[in-house]
Amino acid sequence: MPVAGLDLISEIQQLKRERNAVILAHNYQSNEIQELADFVGDSLGLAYKAAESTADVIAFCGVHFMAETAKIVNPAKTVVIPDMNAGCSLSDSCPAEKLEAFLHEHAAKNYYVVAYINCSAGVKALSDVICTSGNAVRIVEHVPADRKILFVPDANLGQWVIEQTGRPMELWKGNCYVHVEFTRNSIERIRSQHPDAPVVAHPECTTAVRLLADEVCSTEKMIGYCKSSSARTFIIVTESGMLHRLRREVPGKEFIPGPTDKCACADCRYMKMNTLEKLHACLRDLAPQIIIPEPIRARAELPLRRMLEWSR
Ligand code: 13P
Ligand code: SF4
């Protein structure tokens, strides 16, 4: 590693001590950020860590809705994100105003709104409970049986949950631009090259891809699955950052990224906007910071707290 890189890392560590900061990173972050973080995990693990944090500053290396979630559950903390433009196509597919208009128009249905955590604070504030890919099945099983469910914003995850629970739900038609890039052809091709390797896919993938998978689970559960499986080689059908986490925590096994029709692996351009330089700058400047109007934050906290209780 070049000296400049080492300097940058030690400066980040120094700033972290001075600010009494904690660095939380999602499994899709770059290798360097994962190495430096105090905790690396999936959306559910990160939400718990943020809620429990006693640090003064949370430097959130992930995308905007994840940093926003940290601020919602722990509002007294200063929450910074290396790049404020690190958004999410899935979150963007369900603007709060559109959801509000839809709920208004269909008020007679008295929907119970289950929102996947990949959504804005405004959408969370319109929801009854939040879920992540790690607890979606459990959360939907908790919803009162006499209520009609509207599941937002990921139709692919929603479809998987319907199949797992047998519970009918109406689905918002959003998706993740990264996970829909995996196709039946691209996964069949890599599987024919590694016939003994289980295919492990994220539930944001399309049904056609999910049907080819040996295991469908959240990024965190991929670690447990690959550790306990007797297989030596795995095809991992999710964003490429996950491969680093797996190689670090499941040594001695081989991980092959699921390809798309165009590329050998899939990167989320939003997740990859965060860099060590920007992490350094956000700890130094305490900016950009996540600020949420208090009425929205307080309303969004209710369904998030419900999720944290129901998934214990
Ligand atoms: P996980 O909760 O499984 O980490 O997924 C988050 C995400 O953004 C997937 O694209
Ligand atoms: Fe959003 Fe997809 Fe990126 Fe996850 S991988 S943050 S769902 S755009």
Side-chain angles (χ1 to χ4, degrees):
M1 182 182 294
V3 175
L6 281 175
D7 284 350
L8 187 58
I9 288 166
S10 52
E11 278 183 36
I12 291 172
Q13 281 161 339
Q14 172 69 21
L15 274 170
K16 201 184 85 163
R17 284 190 292 274
E18 284 170 21
R19 297 291 193 197
N20 186 25
V22 64
I23 300 175
L24 304 184
H26 187 263
N27 289 324
Y28 296 164
Q29 291 294 285
S30 66
N31 300 358
E32 311 87 68
I33 290 182
Q34 290 197 29
E35 298 287 335
L36 204 63
D38 296 293
F39 177 80
V40 185
D42 68 351
S43 307
L44 182 60
L46 290 165
Y48 275 116
K49 281 287 164 194
E52 290 158 5
S53 178
T54 54
D56 294 323
V57 175
I58 299 175
F60 205 108
C61 299
V63 292
H64 187 267
F65 76 81
M66 296 180 175
E68 221 179 30
T69 301
K71 185 70 180 177
I72 293 168
V73 293
N74 209 338
K77 309 298 174 194
T78 299
V79 179
V80 290
I81 181 166
D83 191 321
M84 199 52 131
N85 295 317
C88 167
S89 70
L90 183 49
S91 176
D92 291 347
S93 67
C94 185
E97 315 73 63
K98 263 200 178 168
L99 176 59
E100 193 170 21
F102 182 88
L103 291 174
H104 187 70
E105 194 186 332
H106 300 279
K109 292 203 177 182
N110 189 25
Y111 281 120
Y112 197 97
V113 181
V114 180
Y116 185 35
I117 198 164
N118 296 39
C119 64
S120 67
V123 167
K124 289 185 176 77
L126 292 167
S127 303
D128 294 291
V129 69
I130 307 301
C131 71
T132 71
S133 56
N135 64 15
V137 169
R138 194 182 167 98
I139 295 295
V140 167
E141 282 171 348
H142 266 80
V143 174
D146 59 339
R147 296 289 299 274
K148 263 193 178 42
I149 300 179
L150 174 68
F151 187 91
V152 303
D154 191 7
N156 288 312
L157 175 72
Q159 184 54 40
W160 176 68
V161 174
I162 291 173
E163 289 162 24
Q164 298 295 303
T165 59
R167 182 89 192 248
M169 303 196 295
E170 286 185 38
L171 306 177
W172 193 267
K173 293 198 172 22
N175 61 44
C176 158
Y177 91 97
V178 179
H179 286 85
V180 298
E181 285 283 298
F182 301 112
T183 65
R184 204 175 82 171
N185 279 350
S186 71
I187 301 306
E188 273 180 342
R189 201 167 8 94
I190 192 85
R191 204 176 54 169
S192 68
Q193 290 161 23
H194 304 273
D196 297 328
V199 173
V200 185
H202 195 276
E204 285 173 18
C205 293
T206 61
T207 304
V209 166
R210 256 197 303 108
L211 290 175
L212 296 174
D214 297 277
E215 178 68 8
V216 177
C217 60
S218 73
T219 56
E220 198 60 34
K221 289 185 182 170
M222 288 181 183
I223 306 274
Y225 176 81
C226 295
K227 265 187 189 159
S228 59
S229 166
S230 57
R232 309 303 304 162
T233 306
F234 302 83
I235 297 164
I236 304 298
V237 189
T238 193
E239 208 269 353
S240 64
M242 192 60 212
L243 280 282
H244 180 65
R245 176 95 203 273
L246 283 161
R247 286 174 184 142
R248 201 160 79 146
E249 289 187 31
V250 194
K253 295 194 177 181
E254 194 190 349
F255 299 100
I256 296 159
T260 68
D261 287 330
K262 294 179 220 124
C263 296
C265 67
D267 285 331
C268 171
R269 64 173 173 269
Y270 303 109
M271 285 281 181
K272 293 327 198 241
M273 281 180 182
N274 296 325
T275 60
L276 283 184
E277 287 76 13
K278 292 181 200 172
L279 173 58
H280 177 269
C282 81
L283 280 168
R284 182 193 61 208
D285 306 338
L286 291 185
Q289 250 188 63
I290 303 289
I291 311 280
I292 311 171
E294 181 52 22
I296 293 180
R297 189 212 64 78
R299 178 60 185 81
E301 187 176 5
L302 301 174
L304 267 166
R305 290 276 164 213
R306 189 167 286 149
M307 172 191 86
L308 295 176
E309 276 160 33
W310 286 3
S311 53
R312 281 241 177 247

